[in-house]
Amino acid sequence: MKPSAKYLLLFTFLLSGQIAFSQANFTKIENYKVYYGVATHFPRELMILRSFDNYGKHYLLLVNPQTLETRIDESDFYQVRPMTLLQARTFFFKTPYEKALYKADKQSVAIQDAGIEIGMPKETGISLTADLCPSHRPLDKVIFTDIIAEFKKVEKPVPVALSITGVWMRQHPQDLEWLKKMQADKEIYITWINHSFNHRVSLTEPLKENFLLEPGTDINYEVLETEKAMLKNGLLPSVFFRFPGLVSDQELVYRITDFGLIPIGTDAWLAKGQQPQAGSIVLIHGNGNEPVGVKDFINLLHSKTQAIAKKQWLLYDLRESVDEEFEDTTKTTGK
């Protein structure tokens, strides 16, 4: 290949990445489905998770198995090899993505908090996750304004992971636009976690018949309709899923990992008095329903002011946190 052709190839790939970062609104999604395989655009090989059509063009939702970063691209940009999920996971054996899926499967027995609970235990800092369950109350914006204020001199944009439901997106379009503007202005960088569409909950039913374990729950709808709602609203779905109420059973965990999604738990639900440690995945609710947890996080943030200024206590991107926990030192993909 001539040098000029190489530069053109690289430029095209970088341009595609820029388009994926400034996520488009896919407002006419058709034929949205689970679709596995390998997408090759030399020198990269990405795993395909979904395919769909939008205004006559065919798109793929892809994940980089080394970094856990997702992207949306037109399928024509890649050489596509369809596979079963097992074949695709075998192809990307020993990558951080496959290792995280494997660990989630192994931890699937617990009725509560199955999945990845801690990221980088060797690091000083946390990964912040805020759940946006259905609520009539407005977004707790103080969470975001305070982290921006605390970290503006040492970390910008500030990484945060938001577990979002389809119902919350429908109920709070103005709050969602505010979050998107914060990201567009590079104040925060959001990893969007699938938190189910409806997030149904009963105050009387036992856990084994509650949340997504409620009889008659359509898991396909809860997962895929949330992803479609994200795409319609200009959000980029990640490879992470958080169970409503952190409640699941082994079969449900397997159903979620069969979508190619990594369940994310927590070892520090602040409103329940759980204290974060180095590398913790912290849980608070940003939907206005948990003022105690938000207050505890703000107090934690303010208590770390000096450490933050010295870069001794930071917020970590959830994708990087999980990626480094399962990092493959050989850095190879393929069989």
Coordinates of all heavy atoms in Angstrom, one line a residue, residues 230-289:
M230 N -31.9 4.8 24.0 CA -30.6 5.5 24.1 C -30.2 6.1 22.7 O -29.9 7.3 22.6 CB -29.5 4.6 24.6 CG -29.6 4.2 26.0 SD -28.1 3.2 26.5 CE -28.6 2.6 28.0
L231 N -30.3 5.2 21.7 CA -29.8 5.6 20.4 C -30.7 6.7 19.8 O -30.2 7.7 19.2 CB -29.8 4.4 19.4 CG -28.8 3.4 19.8 CD1 -29.1 2.1 19.0 CD2 -27.4 3.9 19.5
K232 N -32.0 6.7 20.1 CA -32.9 7.7 19.6 C -32.7 9.0 20.3 O -32.9 10.1 19.7 CB -34.4 7.3 19.8 CG -34.9 6.1 18.9 CD -36.3 5.7 19.3 CE -36.7 4.5 18.4 NZ -38.0 4.0 18.8
N233 N -32.2 9.0 21.5 CA -31.9 10.2 22.2 C -30.4 10.6 22.1 O -30.0 11.5 22.8 CB -32.2 10.0 23.7 CG -33.7 10.1 24.0 OD1 -34.3 11.2 24.0 ND2 -34.3 8.9 24.2
G234 N -29.7 10.0 21.2 CA -28.3 10.4 21.0 C -27.3 9.9 22.0 O -26.3 10.6 22.2
L235 N -27.6 8.8 22.7 CA -26.7 8.3 23.7 C -26.1 7.0 23.1 O -26.7 6.3 22.4 CB -27.5 7.9 25.0 CG -28.5 8.9 25.6 CD1 -29.1 8.4 26.9 CD2 -27.8 10.3 25.8
L236 N -24.8 6.8 23.5 CA -24.1 5.6 23.1 C -24.2 4.5 24.1 O -23.6 4.6 25.2 CB -22.6 6.0 22.8 CG -21.7 4.8 22.3 CD1 -22.2 4.3 21.0 CD2 -20.3 5.3 22.2
P237 N -24.9 3.4 23.8 CA -24.9 2.3 24.8 C -23.6 1.7 25.1 O -22.7 1.6 24.2 CB -25.8 1.3 24.1 CG -26.6 2.0 23.1 CD -25.7 3.1 22.6
S238 N -23.3 1.4 26.3 CA -22.1 0.8 26.7 C -22.3 -0.7 26.8 O -23.4 -1.2 26.4 CB -21.6 1.3 28.1 OG -22.5 0.8 29.1
V239 N -21.3 -1.5 27.2 CA -21.4 -2.9 27.4 C -21.9 -3.3 28.8 O -21.8 -4.5 29.2 CB -20.1 -3.7 27.1 CG1 -19.8 -3.6 25.6 CG2 -19.0 -3.2 27.9
F240 N -22.3 -2.3 29.6 CA -22.6 -2.6 31.0 C -24.2 -2.6 31.2 O -24.9 -1.9 30.6 CB -22.0 -1.5 31.9 CG -20.5 -1.5 31.8 CD1 -19.9 -0.3 31.3 CD2 -19.8 -2.5 32.2 CE1 -18.5 -0.3 31.3 CE2 -18.4 -2.5 32.1 CZ -17.7 -1.4 31.7
F241 N -24.5 -3.4 32.2 CA -26.0 -3.5 32.6 C -26.0 -3.5 34.1 O -25.2 -4.2 34.8 CB -26.6 -4.8 32.1 CG -28.1 -4.9 32.3 CD1 -29.0 -4.5 31.4 CD2 -28.5 -5.5 33.5 CE1 -30.3 -4.6 31.6 CE2 -29.9 -5.6 33.8 CZ -30.8 -5.1 32.8
R242 N -26.9 -2.8 34.7 CA -27.1 -2.8 36.1 C -28.5 -3.3 36.4 O -29.5 -2.8 35.9 CB -26.9 -1.5 36.8 CG -27.3 -1.4 38.3 CD -26.7 -0.3 39.0 NE -25.3 -0.5 39.5 CZ -24.5 0.4 39.8 NH1 -24.8 1.7 39.7 NH2 -23.3 0.1 40.2
F243 N -28.6 -4.4 37.2 CA -29.9 -4.9 37.6 C -30.7 -4.0 38.5 O -30.2 -3.4 39.4 CB -29.8 -6.3 38.3 CG -29.2 -7.4 37.5 CD1 -27.9 -7.8 37.7 CD2 -30.0 -7.9 36.5 CE1 -27.4 -8.9 36.9 CE2 -29.4 -8.9 35.7 CZ -28.2 -9.4 35.9
P244 N -32.0 -3.7 38.1 CA -32.8 -2.9 39.0 C -32.8 -3.5 40.4 O -33.0 -4.7 40.6 CB -34.2 -3.0 38.4 CG -33.9 -3.2 36.9 CD -32.7 -4.1 36.9
G245 N -32.6 -2.7 41.5 CA -32.5 -3.2 42.8 C -31.3 -4.0 43.1 O -31.2 -4.6 44.2
L246 N -30.4 -4.2 42.1 CA -29.3 -5.1 42.2 C -29.7 -6.5 42.4 O -29.0 -7.3 43.0 CB -28.3 -4.7 43.3 CG -27.6 -3.3 43.1 CD1 -26.7 -3.0 44.3 CD2 -26.9 -3.2 41.8
V247 N -30.9 -6.9 41.9 CA -31.5 -8.2 42.2 C -31.5 -9.0 40.9 O -31.9 -8.5 39.9 CB -33.0 -8.0 42.7 CG1 -33.7 -9.4 42.8 CG2 -33.0 -7.3 44.1
S248 N -31.1 -10.2 41.1 CA -31.0 -11.2 39.9 C -30.9 -12.6 40.4 O -30.8 -12.8 41.7 CB -29.8 -10.9 39.0 OG -28.6 -11.1 39.8
D249 N -31.0 -13.5 39.6 CA -30.6 -14.9 39.9 C -29.7 -15.4 38.8 O -29.4 -14.7 37.8 CB -31.8 -15.8 40.1 CG -32.7 -15.9 38.8 OD1 -32.3 -15.5 37.7 OD2 -33.8 -16.4 38.9
Q250 N -29.2 -16.7 38.9 CA -28.2 -17.2 38.0 C -28.8 -17.2 36.5 O -28.1 -16.8 35.6 CB -27.8 -18.6 38.4 CG -26.6 -19.1 37.6 CD -26.1 -20.4 38.1 OE1 -26.9 -21.4 38.3 NE2 -24.8 -20.5 38.4
E251 N -30.0 -17.6 36.4 CA -30.6 -17.6 35.0 C -30.6 -16.2 34.4 O -30.3 -16.0 33.2 CB -32.0 -18.2 35.0 CG -32.6 -18.3 33.7 CD -34.0 -18.8 33.7 OE1 -34.5 -19.3 34.8 OE2 -34.7 -18.8 32.6
L252 N -31.0 -15.2 35.2 CA -31.1 -13.8 34.7 C -29.7 -13.3 34.3 O -29.6 -12.6 33.3 CB -31.8 -13.0 35.8 CG -32.0 -11.5 35.3 CD1 -32.8 -11.4 34.1 CD2 -32.7 -10.7 36.5
V253 N -28.7 -13.6 35.2 CA -27.4 -13.1 34.8 C -26.9 -13.7 33.5 O -26.4 -13.0 32.6 CB -26.4 -13.5 35.9 CG1 -24.9 -13.3 35.5 CG2 -26.7 -12.8 37.2
Y254 N -27.2 -15.0 33.3 CA -26.9 -15.6 32.0 C -27.6 -15.0 30.9 O -27.1 -14.9 29.8 CB -27.2 -17.1 32.1 CG -26.2 -17.9 32.9 CD1 -26.6 -19.2 33.4 CD2 -25.0 -17.4 33.4 CE1 -25.7 -20.0 34.2 CE2 -24.2 -18.2 34.2 CZ -24.5 -19.5 34.6 OH -23.7 -20.2 35.4
R255 N -28.9 -14.6 31.1 CA -29.6 -14.0 30.0 C -29.0 -12.6 29.6 O -28.9 -12.3 28.5 CB -31.1 -13.7 30.5 CG -32.0 -14.9 30.7 CD -32.3 -15.5 29.3 NE -33.0 -14.6 28.4 CZ -34.3 -14.3 28.5 NH1 -35.1 -14.9 29.4 NH2 -34.8 -13.5 27.6
I256 N -28.5 -11.9 30.6 CA -27.9 -10.6 30.4 C -26.5 -10.8 29.7 O -26.2 -10.1 28.7 CB -27.7 -9.8 31.7 CG1 -29.1 -9.4 32.2 CG2 -26.9 -8.5 31.5 CD1 -30.0 -8.6 31.3
T257 N -25.7 -11.7 30.2 CA -24.4 -11.9 29.5 C -24.6 -12.5 28.1 O -23.7 -12.3 27.2 CB -23.5 -12.8 30.3 OG1 -24.1 -14.1 30.6 CG2 -23.1 -12.2 31.6
D258 N -25.7 -13.2 27.8 CA -26.0 -13.6 26.5 C -26.3 -12.5 25.5 O -26.3 -12.7 24.3 CB -27.2 -14.6 26.5 CG -26.8 -16.0 26.9 OD1 -25.5 -16.3 27.0 OD2 -27.6 -16.9 27.2
F259 N -26.6 -11.3 26.1 CA -26.8 -10.1 25.3 C -25.4 -9.5 25.0 O -25.3 -8.4 24.4 CB -27.7 -9.1 25.9 CG -29.1 -9.4 25.8 CD1 -29.8 -9.9 26.9 CD2 -29.8 -9.1 24.6 CE1 -31.2 -10.2 26.8 CE2 -31.2 -9.4 24.5 CZ -31.9 -10.0 25.6
G260 N -24.3 -10.0 25.6 CA -23.0 -9.4 25.5 C -22.8 -8.3 26.5 O -21.9 -7.5 26.3
L261 N -23.6 -8.3 27.5 CA -23.5 -7.2 28.5 C -22.9 -7.7 29.8 O -23.1 -8.8 30.2 CB -24.9 -6.6 28.8 CG -25.7 -6.0 27.5 CD1 -27.1 -5.6 27.9 CD2 -24.9 -4.9 26.9
I262 N -22.2 -6.8 30.4 CA -21.5 -7.1 31.7 C -22.2 -6.5 32.9 O -22.4 -5.3 33.0 CB -20.0 -6.5 31.7 CG1 -19.2 -7.0 30.5 CG2 -19.3 -6.8 33.0 CD1 -18.0 -6.2 30.2
P263 N -22.8 -7.3 33.7 CA -23.5 -6.8 34.9 C -22.5 -6.1 35.8 O -21.4 -6.5 36.1 CB -24.0 -8.1 35.6 CG -24.1 -9.1 34.5 CD -22.9 -8.8 33.6
I264 N -23.0 -4.9 36.3 CA -22.2 -4.1 37.2 C -22.9 -3.9 38.5 O -24.1 -3.5 38.6 CB -22.0 -2.6 36.6 CG1 -21.0 -2.7 35.4 CG2 -21.4 -1.7 37.6 CD1 -19.6 -3.1 35.8
G265 N -22.2 -4.3 39.6 CA -22.8 -4.2 40.9 C -22.2 -3.0 41.6 O -21.8 -2.0 41.0
T266 N -22.0 -3.2 42.9 CA -21.4 -2.1 43.7 C -20.9 -2.7 45.0 O -21.5 -3.7 45.5 CB -22.3 -1.0 44.0 OG1 -21.6 0.0 44.8 CG2 -23.5 -1.4 44.8
D267 N -19.8 -2.2 45.5 CA -19.3 -2.6 46.9 C -19.5 -1.4 47.8 O -19.0 -1.4 48.9 CB -17.9 -3.1 46.9 CG -16.9 -2.0 46.4 OD1 -17.3 -1.1 45.7 OD2 -15.7 -2.1 46.8
A268 N -20.1 -0.3 47.3 CA -20.3 0.9 48.2 C -21.6 1.6 47.8 O -21.5 2.6 47.1 CB -19.1 1.8 48.0
W269 N -22.7 1.1 48.3 CA -24.0 1.8 48.1 C -24.1 2.8 49.3 O -24.4 2.4 50.4 CB -25.1 0.8 48.1 CG -26.5 1.3 47.8 CD1 -26.9 2.6 47.9 CD2 -27.6 0.6 47.3 NE1 -28.2 2.8 47.5 CE2 -28.7 1.5 47.1 CE3 -27.8 -0.7 47.0 CZ2 -29.9 1.1 46.7 CZ3 -29.1 -1.1 46.6 CH2 -30.1 -0.2 46.4
L270 N -23.8 4.0 49.0 CA -23.6 5.0 50.1 C -24.8 5.2 51.0 O -24.7 5.3 52.2 CB -23.2 6.3 49.5 CG -21.8 6.4 48.8 CD1 -21.5 7.8 48.4 CD2 -20.7 5.7 49.5
A271 N -26.0 5.1 50.4 CA -27.2 5.3 51.3 C -27.4 4.2 52.2 O -28.2 4.3 53.2 CB -28.4 5.5 50.3
K272 N -26.8 3.1 52.0 CA -26.9 1.9 52.9 C -25.7 1.9 53.9 O -25.6 0.9 54.6 CB -27.0 0.6 52.1 CG -28.3 0.5 51.3 CD -28.5 -0.9 50.8 CE -29.9 -1.1 50.2 NZ -30.1 -2.5 49.7
G273 N -24.9 2.9 53.9 CA -23.8 3.0 54.9 C -22.6 2.3 54.5 O -21.6 2.1 55.3
Q274 N -22.5 1.8 53.2 CA -21.3 1.1 52.8 C -20.2 2.1 52.4 O -20.5 3.0 51.6 CB -21.6 0.2 51.6 CG -22.7 -0.9 51.9 CD -23.1 -1.7 50.6 OE1 -22.8 -1.3 49.5 NE2 -23.9 -2.7 50.8
Q275 N -19.0 1.9 53.0 CA -18.0 2.9 52.7 C -17.1 2.5 51.6 O -16.7 1.4 51.5 CB -17.1 3.1 54.0 CG -17.9 3.6 55.2 CD -18.5 5.0 54.9 OE1 -17.8 5.9 54.4 NE2 -19.8 5.1 55.1
P276 N -16.8 3.4 50.7 CA -15.9 3.1 49.5 C -14.5 2.9 49.9 O -14.0 3.5 50.8 CB -16.1 4.4 48.7 CG -16.4 5.5 49.6 CD -17.3 4.8 50.7
Q277 N -13.9 1.9 49.2 CA -12.5 1.7 49.4 C -11.7 2.0 48.1 O -12.4 2.5 47.1 CB -12.3 0.2 49.7 CG -13.1 -0.4 50.8 CD -12.8 0.3 52.2 OE1 -11.6 0.6 52.5 NE2 -13.8 0.6 53.0
A278 N -10.5 1.9 48.0 CA -9.7 2.1 46.8 C -10.2 1.3 45.7 O -10.3 0.0 45.8 CB -8.2 1.9 47.0
G279 N -10.6 1.9 44.6 CA -11.1 1.1 43.5 C -12.6 0.8 43.5 O -13.1 0.1 42.6
S280 N -13.3 1.3 44.5 CA -14.7 0.9 44.6 C -15.5 1.4 43.5 O -15.3 2.5 42.9 CB -15.3 1.5 45.9 OG -14.9 0.8 47.1
I281 N -16.6 0.6 43.1 CA -17.6 1.1 42.2 C -18.8 1.6 43.1 O -19.5 0.8 43.8 CB -18.1 0.0 41.3 CG1 -17.0 -0.4 40.4 CG2 -19.3 0.5 40.5 CD1 -17.3 -1.6 39.5
V282 N -18.9 2.9 43.2 CA -19.8 3.6 44.2 C -21.2 3.7 43.5 O -21.3 4.1 42.4 CB -19.2 4.9 44.6 CG1 -20.3 5.7 45.4 CG2 -18.0 4.7 45.5
L283 N -22.2 3.5 44.3 CA -23.6 3.6 43.8 C -24.3 4.7 44.6 O -24.4 4.7 45.9 CB -24.3 2.3 44.0 CG -25.9 2.4 43.8 CD1 -26.2 2.9 42.4 CD2 -26.5 1.1 44.0
I284 N -24.8 5.7 43.9 CA -25.8 6.6 44.4 C -27.0 6.7 43.4 O -26.9 6.2 42.3 CB -25.2 8.1 44.6 CG1 -24.7 8.6 43.3 CG2 -24.1 8.0 45.7 CD1 -24.2 10.1 43.5
H285 N -28.1 7.4 43.8 CA -29.2 7.6 42.9 C -29.3 9.1 42.6 O -29.3 9.9 43.5 CB -30.5 7.0 43.5 CG -30.6 5.6 43.5 ND1 -29.9 4.7 44.3 CD2 -31.3 4.8 42.6 CE1 -30.2 3.5 44.0 NE2 -31.0 3.5 43.0
G286 N -29.3 9.4 41.3 CA -29.3 10.7 40.9 C -30.7 11.2 40.5 O -30.9 12.3 39.9
N287 N -31.7 10.4 40.8 CA -33.1 10.7 40.3 C -34.0 11.4 41.3 O -35.2 11.5 41.1 CB -33.8 9.4 39.9 CG -33.9 8.4 41.1 OD1 -33.3 8.6 42.2 ND2 -34.7 7.3 40.9
G288 N -33.3 11.9 42.4 CA -34.1 12.7 43.4 C -34.7 11.9 44.5 O -35.3 12.4 45.4
N289 N -34.6 10.5 44.4 CA -35.2 9.6 45.4 C -34.3 9.2 46.5 O -34.8 8.5 47.4 CB -35.7 8.4 44.7 CG -36.9 8.6 43.8 OD1 -37.5 9.7 43.8 ND2 -37.4 7.6 43.1

